[in-house]
Amino acid sequence: MTTPAELTTAITTVTAEWLASGRVSTVRQIGDGHCYDFAEEVLTRLGRHDLYGYGYDPVKASLQEARTEDFWLDDFCADMALVRASGETIPEGVPEAVATDIISTATHAWLVLDGRHYDATAPEGRDGFLEMPFFADQFAGWRKESAAP
């Protein structure tokens, strides 16, 4: 059984290796086109490659891979009832239509352990996937665009 400390260590180790090798130049780049490979590599390091691509079940407490696609009704169409049922909270001030659009189009892969959500930018985990920097960046981009004259 994987512990949160083991998961955090695997994430920080793979992140450091990718940075040192030049595969990415910043941690945020991992979430920008490399997150699926990153999740797969971390699972492999933990000896749990069998979980890659299996699908997220918010009821399970064990280690899992999650993807935005796990929260879609259909291709690029978020199921906001499922998002809310999984315990997610839309950030304050963000209309549901905007959150729906972001979850529908900002594809991302991450890991979940005991209800906490982990990726390269959140190696210690977050309570909800919308709290991870990947999604926070998407919401910040919307706020910037909506404030522009």
Side-chain angles (χ1 to χ4, degrees):
M1 177 177 227
T2 303
T3 67
E6 291 169 331
L7 179 54
T8 296
T9 297
I11 289 170
T12 56
T13 299
V14 172
T15 299
E17 290 172 0
W18 282 26
L19 288 166
S21 73
R23 183 168 181 174
V24 295
S25 57
T26 68
V27 175
R28 278 194 160 49
Q29 274 188 324
I30 293 171
D32 188 20
H34 303 281
C35 55
Y36 291 81
D37 292 340
F38 183 82
E40 182 177 19
E41 186 161 339
V42 171
L43 286 172
T44 299
R45 296 284 179 96
L46 293 168
R48 296 307 315 265
H49 187 269
D50 60 305
L51 298 175
Y52 184 72
Y54 188 78
Y56 174 63
D57 179 353
V59 175
K60 293 172 77 177
S62 59
L63 179 65
Q64 307 177 62
E65 181 209 14
R67 301 173 178 193
T68 46
E69 298 93 311
D70 295 328
F71 296 91
W72 291 353
L73 287 166
D74 200 356
D75 288 349
F76 302 102
C77 181
D79 181 346
M80 294 308 287
L82 179 59
V83 170
R84 284 189 297 279
S86 71
E88 293 298 321
T89 303
I90 296 170
E92 190 172 325
V94 175
E96 183 157 328
V98 171
T100 302
D101 185 52
I102 288 171
I103 296 166
S104 297
T105 58
T107 58
H108 191 51
W110 65 96
L111 301 169
V112 182
L113 179 62
D114 299 333
R116 289 186 59 82
H117 301 259
Y118 299 78
D119 70 2
T121 61
E124 69 292 332
R126 297 287 195 274
D127 289 333
F129 75 85
L130 294 178
E131 297 173 24
M132 292 190 304
F134 175 84
F135 291 100
D137 290 349
Q138 308 302 315
F139 293 119
W142 170 79
R143 285 185 179 98
K144 184 177 179 180
E145 284 180 22
S146 66

